[in-house]
């Protein structure tokens, strides 16, 4: 194939189309706030509404996914995770849900084969596949308006591992079935090789955790090329197949190696199939730019596949702001989706966002943000598939939105907050930051049933949580809780039990004053100075088929490492037995019988498990109206200044902020505060003027503030951050990683599961850096401890002041991204104030904190 001639032909054929087609692209890189401000040129092709396109084989035309009728096709879909390629967190979200020492599909299959033989192992795996995703699931997908399904599969679904480059007897059964079901509903399918022979990365989702042998093994590479040749030969001409996803998340190699092997896989497909779109993995540190224009390598009719997870995996925090910044291209209008759209436009290539998760943890707002995400991606000509269709949890129910579009019923966990997710919470149950109150039907049978309302409070170090005004109300407004408002003598209606630790104090008549938006009289306070885990509960009578809603409020008064959870469970709580509200069966494959394992996998079948559909997402996706979120973003407040009042006898000194008005539609302003310069900001108040006085600030503490304008639908970007006092860390000092002074924009913060919780920073790649302002009273040699984690290991960063390199740190393989070790180095520090920079020489390492001694 002559790539130069092909490129010229393609440019001539599409030049007019591309100028007009990229709705959203013309604003990207400009000064406007993202795609919603564009007045598009009428396109030179048909552009039906999403879902109204004719159903025919797709092809890549410029940046478009186009059908045979010359229509742009807006693809919005979902992944079928944990079906053919298993990921055990999707069963349970806990550690070892199938038993100790079984972290992935490889070890599961090996354990089953060792215990029961190969034939029984194959049968049990098929029981899972025949249960996890069935015909009715296709109807649920269609009813949500999805028109694309990405089907992750492992190589050994098709290839006989015992006889390489040989098809299994039932090689095509599941893919053929999926394609037939999709075709019946006019849904397209992407075939995604989720786990290649030998493994393309170290992660468990390749099927075999800790393996990364594809890149060093000619045998595994040849087998992967053979596999794609067989797939292409099988599905050549099948219009239901939107494209072939060559490799899922190939993190185990560098970009150049990935590009070169992808070309080989492309050629293996083209030997048998000239028509289907071939989807190239857009991963590694430089995304799709490492490929350049695919036509330069003789590759036509291709698409790129990145995965975008705003709010997750260190990409900011779950919430409105991270999605706003991503979908509207940032405050300057040239980052977020606009950066990627420019890359796609520059190489005339479509995009498939193969994985994303826009609704997790966002409750009702998750529906709006999901719709806005799909609409924005389709406006940019991108296809997208959310991860994932089904995720189950021990407690069941949606909470504020799980990773699954559907999940198992349960709803025994009614309300939850914890300091790792929302330190210092002060909420009504309806607005609880982790699991908020929703209506639940706790008993589906006839008549009435005794159940138990259990309030569980615990913490590792210090607990101080207050509850009040607790009611459990049926659909007629009847409250079935006795003395949920507490007060003198109310302890008679509650039973106390310990789960672990026993040093605690309960006050049922605590004068809490005003919190969570209202005055209160007596309240219930649970205090444990050294940590404990305990429950108070009472029996309640529920009616079969009746819906109940929990209400009340609680506050984290002065806690660390603490959780507060309320359950409605069918069994009476017992001393020293945790209340988990588990709504799933459990299994230990190391010991369970064949029958027990079969029953476990069968539980997940549509007919056996009560499904809960995320109606927030469904309603938003099927609405005739687009999302209203991100359509009316006010401008940023500016020129923020502060004055400090005199400290009173309690050390409280009011801080008064003033600022210049923001432009646009402004209802008011939210005032954010933290004691760290770049993290931990929470709203301390609102104002409908351009001034606000914070009467809760302590005189000798440095606070960081910023102001953001808001209106009925949106919130503007924050003002510059101001500090009320000293911003330098005086050495010796322990510095939390997230409390940097400045950082490369690619560095991200995420929750740490290290001792003490908190946050870590990560997403380090070559050249990315973080700065910390330090003050050294006395020059000299200091030791510095770094709390580090890496699943890759043998990666380095430099510790610098200015151009001087103080030391080079080597991060070892610690066993996992959240498995931390402390490494100590010596550095020589000059006297006075300076900026300490950590500059990465490699990628893939995390930092939780460092301490200069």
């Amino acid at each position: 194939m002559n790539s130069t001639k092909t490129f010229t032909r393609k440019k001539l054929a599409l030049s007019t189309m591309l100028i007009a087609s990229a709705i959203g692209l013309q604003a990207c890189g400009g000064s406007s706030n993202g795609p919603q401000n564009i007045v598009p040129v009428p396109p030179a092709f048909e552009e039906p509404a999403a879902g109204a396109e004719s159903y025919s084989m797709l092809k890549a035309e410029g940046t478009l996914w186009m059908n045979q009728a010359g229509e742009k096709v807006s693809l919005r879909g979902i992944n079928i995770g944990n079906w053919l390629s298993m990921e055990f967190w999707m069963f349970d979200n806990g550690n070892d849900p199938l038993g100790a020492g079984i972290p992935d599909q490889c070890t599961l299959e090996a354990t089953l084969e060792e215990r029961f033989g190969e034939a029984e192992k194959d049968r049990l795996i098929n029981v899972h596949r025949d249960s996890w995703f069935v015909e009715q699931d296709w109807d649920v997908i269609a009813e949500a308006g999805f028109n694309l399904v990405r089907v992750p599969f492992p190589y050994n679904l098709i290839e006989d591992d015992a006889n390489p480059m040989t098809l299994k007897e039932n090689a095509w059964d599941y893919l053929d079935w999926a394609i037939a079901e999709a075709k019946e509903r006019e849904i397209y399918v992407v075939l995604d090789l989720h786990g290649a022979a030998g493994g393309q990365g170290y992660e468990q989702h390749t099927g075999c955790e800790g393996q990364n042998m594809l890149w060093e093994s000619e045998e595994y590479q040849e087998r992967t090329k053979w596999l794609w040749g067989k797939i292409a030969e099988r599905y050549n001409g099948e219009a239901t197949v939107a494209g072939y996803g060559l490799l899922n998340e190939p993190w185990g190699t560098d970009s150049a190696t990935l590009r070169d092997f992808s070309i080989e896989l492309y050629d293996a497909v083209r030997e048998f199939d000239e028509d289907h779109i071939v989807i190239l993995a857009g991963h590694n540190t430089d995304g799709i730019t490492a490929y350049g224009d695919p036509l330069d390598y003789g590759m036509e009719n291709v698409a790129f596949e990145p995965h975008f997870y705003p709010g997750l995996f260190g990409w900011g925090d779950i919430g409105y702001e991270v999605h706003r910044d991503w979908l509207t291209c940032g405050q300057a209008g040239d980052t977020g989706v606009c950066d990627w759209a420019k890359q796609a436009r520059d190489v005339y290539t479509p995009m498939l966002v193969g994985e994303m998760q826009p609704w997790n943890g966002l409750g009702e707002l998750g529906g709006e943000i999901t719709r806005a995400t799909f609409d924005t991606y389709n406006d940019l000509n991108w296809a997208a598939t959310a991860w994932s269709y089904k995720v189950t949890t021990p407690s069941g129910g949606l909470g504020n939105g799980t990773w699954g579009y559907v999940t198992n019923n349960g709803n025994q966990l009614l309300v939850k907050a914890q300091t790792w997710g929302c330190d210092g919470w002060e909420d009504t149950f309806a607005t609880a930051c982790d699991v908020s109150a929703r209506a639940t039907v706790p008993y589906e049978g006839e008549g009435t049933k005794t159940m138990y309302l259990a309030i569980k409070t615990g913490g590792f170090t210090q607990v101080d949580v207050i509850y009040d005004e607790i009611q459990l109300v049926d659909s007629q407004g009847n409250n079935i809780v006795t003395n949920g408002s507490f007060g003198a003598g109310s302890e008679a209606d509650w039973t106390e039990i310990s789960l672990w630790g026993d040093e605690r104090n309960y006050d049922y008549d605590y004068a809490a004053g005003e919190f969570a938006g209202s005055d209160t009289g007596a309240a219930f306070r649970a205090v444990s100075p050294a940590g404990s885990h305990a429950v108070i509960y009472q029996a309640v009578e529920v009616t079969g088929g009746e819906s109940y809603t929990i209400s009340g409020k609680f506050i984290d008064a002065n806690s660390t490492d603490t959780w507060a959870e309320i359950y409605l469970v069918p069994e009476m709580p017992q001393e020293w037995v945790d209340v988990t509200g588990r709504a799933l069966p459990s299994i230990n494959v190391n010991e369970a019988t064949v029958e027990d394992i079969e029953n476990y996998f069968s539980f997940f079948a549509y007919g056996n498990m009560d499904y809960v559909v995320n109606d927030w997402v469904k309603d938003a996706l099927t609405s005739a109206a687009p999302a209203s979120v991100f359509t009316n973003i006010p401008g940023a407040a500016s020129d923020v200044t502060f004055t400090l009042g005199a400290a009173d006898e309690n050390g409280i000194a009011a801080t008064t902020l003033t600022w210049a008005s923001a432009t646009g539609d402004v209802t008011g302003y939210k005032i954010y505060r933290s004691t760290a310069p770049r993290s931990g900001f929470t709203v301390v108040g609102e104002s409908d003027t351009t001034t606000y006085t914070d009467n809760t600030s302590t005189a000798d503490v440095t606070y960081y503030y910023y102001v953001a304008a808001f209106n009925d639908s949106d919130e503007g970007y924050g003002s510059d951050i101001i500090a009320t006092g000293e911003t330098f860390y005086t050495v010796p000092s322990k510095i939390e990683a997230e409390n940097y002074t400045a950082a490369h924009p690619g560095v991200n913060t995420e929750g740490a599961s290290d001792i003490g919780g908190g946050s870590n920073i990560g997403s380090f790649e070559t050249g990315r850096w973080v700065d910390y302002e330090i003050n050294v009273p006395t020059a000299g040699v200091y030791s510095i401890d770094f709390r580090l984690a890496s699943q890759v290991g043998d990666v380095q960063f430099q510790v610098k002041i200015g151009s001087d390199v103080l030391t080079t740190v080597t991060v070892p393989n610690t066993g996992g991204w959240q498995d931390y070790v402390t490494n100590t180095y010596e550095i020589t520090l000059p006297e006075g104030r300076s900026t300490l920079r950590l500059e990465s020489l490699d990628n893939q390492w995390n930092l939780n904190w460092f301490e200069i001694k």
Side-chain angles (χ1 to χ4, degrees):
M1 181 181 295
N2 187 316
S3 61
T4 302
K5 289 183 179 178
T6 303
F7 178 75
T8 302
R9 184 186 72 243
K10 185 176 183 182
K11 285 187 71 176
L12 289 173
L14 296 173
S15 58
T16 303
M17 176 189 299
L18 289 169
I19 291 170
S21 70
I23 299 174
L25 295 179
Q26 297 176 32
C28 292
S31 59
S32 64
N33 266 347
Q36 78 275 6
N37 291 331
I38 294 168
V39 179
V41 178
F45 52 88
E46 294 296 323
E47 188 173 6
E53 309 93 343
S54 62
Y55 188 69
S56 58
M57 180 174 281
L58 300 177
K59 56 185 176 180
E61 290 287 357
T63 61
L64 305 181
W65 297 78
M66 185 174 282
N67 62 20
Q68 299 301 305
E71 299 171 327
K72 170 187 168 180
V73 180
S74 297
L75 295 167
R76 48 185 73 192
I78 200 155
N79 284 265
I80 314 176
N82 200 40
W83 177 40
L84 304 177
S85 285
M86 300 171 76
E87 297 187 36
F88 298 157
W89 67 270
M90 301 176 73
F91 284 119
D92 193 324
N93 283 334
N95 295 325
D96 301 324
L98 300 189
I102 306 179
D104 55 33
Q105 189 164 347
C106 286
T107 50
L108 171 65
E109 293 191 20
T111 301
L112 292 173
E113 184 167 345
E114 180 181 356
R115 295 193 63 206
F116 308 118
E118 181 179 8
E120 192 67 354
K121 176 262 293 184
D122 289 341
R123 187 186 74 83
L124 289 170
I125 293 298
N126 287 342
V127 169
H128 161 73
R129 289 171 173 166
D130 294 339
S131 302
W132 185 262
F133 195 76
V134 298
E135 182 178 352
Q136 293 96 320
D137 292 300
W138 286 103
D139 294 331
V140 175
I141 286 173
E143 288 164 4
F146 293 119
N147 63 352
L148 177 65
V149 165
R150 182 171 177 256
V151 181
F153 66 92
Y155 76 95
N156 61 359
L157 176 77
I158 297 167
E159 182 187 12
D160 185 349
D161 239 344
N163 300 286
M165 298 193 189
T166 303
L167 292 173
K168 296 175 74 170
E169 184 177 347
N170 63 339
W172 307 110
D173 289 1
Y174 288 102
L175 295 184
D176 282 356
W177 175 80
I179 289 168
E181 294 291 335
K183 178 182 289 186
E184 183 178 333
R185 297 161 179 82
E186 296 193 350
I187 294 171
Y188 292 100
V189 167
V190 167
L191 301 181
D192 159 53
L193 181 56
H194 221 63
Q200 70 271 25
Y202 294 98
E203 296 79 13
Q204 53 80 29
H205 55 66
T206 65
C208 301
E209 184 176 86
Q211 287 192 21
N212 186 36
M213 299 185 291
L214 172 66
W215 311 107
E216 304 297 329
S217 169
E218 183 176 349
E219 177 195 350
Y220 287 138
Q221 292 174 16
E222 290 302 314
R223 288 171 62 179
T224 304
K225 288 187 283 186
W226 170 87
L227 181 72
W228 273 116
K230 290 298 180 184
I231 295 170
E233 184 178 22
R234 177 77 175 185
Y235 297 117
N236 180 26
E238 176 52 69
T240 303
V241 176
Y244 302 132
L246 297 181
L247 283 173
N248 176 70
E249 296 190 358
W251 296 114
T253 190
D254 60 87
S255 301
T257 302
L258 172 60
R259 175 198 62 211
D260 294 344
F261 186 55
S262 295
I263 294 170
E264 295 182 46
L265 295 179
Y266 170 89
D267 290 339
V269 168
R270 288 292 180 246
E271 184 178 347
F272 298 95
D273 188 339
E274 289 287 340
D275 298 322
H276 274 113
I277 297 172
V278 175
I279 302 169
L280 309 172
H283 290 76
N284 296 92
T285 58
D286 42 6
I288 68 176
T289 58
Y291 290 91
D293 191 327
L295 280 169
D296 292 342
Y297 301 95
M299 294 190 290
E300 290 186 285
N301 201 30
V302 299
F304 285 119
E305 181 189 334
H307 294 173
F308 298 142
Y309 280 109
L312 299 162
F313 303 121
W315 187 339
D317 298 321
I318 292 173
Y320 166 92
E321 291 84 359
V322 68
H323 292 281
R324 176 201 61 197
D325 296 358
W326 169 247
L327 294 176
T328 66
C329 305
Q331 194 164 1
D334 58 358
T335 57
V337 297
C338 283
D339 177 50
W340 281 86
K342 181 180 183 301
Q343 293 182 49
R345 178 189 59 197
D346 287 347
V347 293
Y348 297 99
T349 305
M351 295 256 285
L352 164 67
V353 183
E355 294 181 19
M356 63 176 191
Q357 181 35 259
W359 63 73
N360 180 39
L362 290 172
E364 186 174 0
L365 181 61
E368 279 278 288
I369 288 180
T370 299
R371 176 62 184 268
T373 300
F374 275 116
D375 285 353
T376 300
Y377 288 176
N378 290 164
D379 284 348
L380 294 169
N381 305 329
W382 301 354
T385 49
W387 191 277
S388 184
Y389 172 69
K390 181 197 292 187
V391 173
T392 58
T393 60
S395 60
L398 284 176
N400 276 347
T402 74
W403 278 76
Y405 173 69
V406 302
T407 189
N408 55 305
N409 201 355
N411 292 327
Q412 293 181 14
L413 174 60
L414 304 182
V415 176
K416 179 181 178 182
Q418 38 97 1
T419 54
W420 296 276
C422 41
D423 191 20
W425 77 82
E426 181 178 346
D427 295 305
T428 64
F429 293 168
T431 59
C433 69
D434 203 344
V435 175
S436 59
R438 295 190 72 197
T440 180
V441 179
Y443 174 50
E444 296 283 3
E446 299 293 329
T448 63
K449 180 178 181 177
T450 300
M451 298 186 73
Y452 299 88
L453 185 71
I455 302 174
K456 183 171 77 171
T457 312
F460 294 118
T461 54
Q462 181 182 6
V463 177
D464 190 349
V465 178
I466 304 168
Y467 303 84
D468 200 17
E469 299 175 355
I470 297 174
Q471 298 187 36
L472 190 61
V473 176
D474 64 18
S475 58
Q476 288 77 45
N478 301 311
N479 174 34
I480 61 173
V481 177
T482 302
N483 269 326
S485 294
F486 304 101
S490 61
E491 61 268 26
D493 295 299
W494 297 90
T495 300
E496 303 176 14
I497 62 169
S498 292
L499 303 178
W500 51 257
D502 202 28
E503 186 181 349
R504 64 181 190 272
N505 177 62
Y506 287 165
D507 185 351
Y508 290 85
D509 195 24
Y510 179 68
E514 179 180 340
F515 73 95
S518 63
D519 290 318
T520 186
F524 169 66
R525 184 186 188 192
V527 176
S528 177
S532 69
H533 198 194
V535 166
I536 66 170
Y537 71 89
Q538 68 172 253
V540 293
E541 293 295 315
V542 299
T543 301
E546 178 63 80
S547 175
Y548 294 85
T549 302
I550 187 97
S551 63
K553 59 182 184 176
F554 55 175
I555 182 173
D556 166 17
N558 183 28
S559 295
T560 55
D561 303 335
T562 294
W563 53 92
E565 303 166 9
I566 300 181
Y567 294 88
L568 185 62
V569 294
E571 303 295 333
M572 181 186 296
Q574 302 294 318
E575 288 275 352
W576 316 116
V577 179
D578 196 5
V579 177
T580 64
R582 187 178 181 92
L584 290 184
S586 59
I587 195 75
N588 181 352
V589 173
N590 296 301
E591 301 173 354
T593 65
V594 167
E595 292 76 15
D596 287 342
I597 296 170
E598 182 172 353
N599 289 337
Y600 177 81
F601 287 144
S602 298
F603 169 83
F604 298 99
Y606 191 99
N608 294 346
M609 185 180 73
D610 289 334
Y611 274 39
V612 180
V613 172
N614 191 322
D615 287 327
W616 297 314
V617 172
K618 179 181 178 181
D619 292 346
L621 290 180
T622 56
S623 172
S628 60
V629 70
F630 309 138
T631 60
N632 189 26
I633 300 173
S638 59
D639 300 328
V640 182
T641 61
F642 71 93
T643 57
L644 294 177
D648 62 17
E649 65 276 10
N650 297 315
I652 303 299
T655 302
T656 299
L657 305 173
T658 60
W659 56 90
S661 298
T663 59
D665 179 11
V666 177
T667 300
Y669 298 88
K670 294 182 180 179
I671 294 80
Y672 288 84
R673 187 184 78 179
S674 177
T675 54
R678 287 293 183 274
S679 63
F681 283 93
T682 57
V683 176
V684 293
E686 295 182 4
S687 175
D688 57 6
T689 68
T690 57
T691 185
Y692 176 80
T693 298
D694 179 5
N695 291 308
T696 64
S697 53
T698 303
D700 58 352
V701 174
T702 295
Y703 291 99
Y704 299 83
Y705 291 92
Y706 72 86
V707 178
F710 70 91
N711 54 41
D712 290 343
S713 65
D714 285 298
E715 183 174 320
Y717 289 90
S719 67
D720 289 340
I721 297 170
I722 62 165
T724 61
E726 177 64 75
T727 62
F728 284 78
Y729 294 98
T730 298
V731 172
S733 183
K734 181 178 180 181
I735 302 173
E736 295 293 335
E738 68 273 18
N739 290 345
Y740 51 77
T741 307
H744 183 283
V747 173
N748 286 305
T749 302
E750 64 183 334
S753 44
D754 195 13
I755 297 170
S759 300
N760 65 266
I761 58 174
S763 302
F764 281 103
E765 298 173 4
T766 303
R768 293 187 177 181
W769 50 268
V770 286
D771 285 348
Y772 301 88
E773 294 181 335
I774 61 172
N775 179 31
V776 182
T778 305
V781 178
Y782 291 79
S783 66
I784 183 167
D785 295 342
F786 290 100
R787 190 68 172 167
L788 302 162
S790 175
Q791 189 169 293
V792 177
D794 197 27
V795 291
Q796 295 183 317
F797 64 89
Q798 291 179 333
V799 183
K800 304 170 67 176
I801 290 180
S803 60
D804 295 335
V805 178
L806 306 185
T807 190
T808 298
V809 174
T810 299
V811 186
N813 183 335
T814 63
W817 298 117
Q818 291 296 321
D819 296 327
Y820 286 87
V821 298
T822 302
N823 285 0
T824 302
Y825 292 79
E826 284 192 348
I827 56 174
T828 300
L829 296 176
E831 181 179 343
R833 295 183 172 187
S834 56
T835 299
L836 189 75
R837 171 165 290 191
L838 312 182
E839 186 167 323
S840 188
L841 301 179
D842 297 294
N843 58 9
Q844 302 186 71
W845 55 277
N846 289 339
L847 174 67
N848 191 12
W849 51 259
F850 64 93
E851 185 172 8
I852 302 173
K853 301 178 180 179

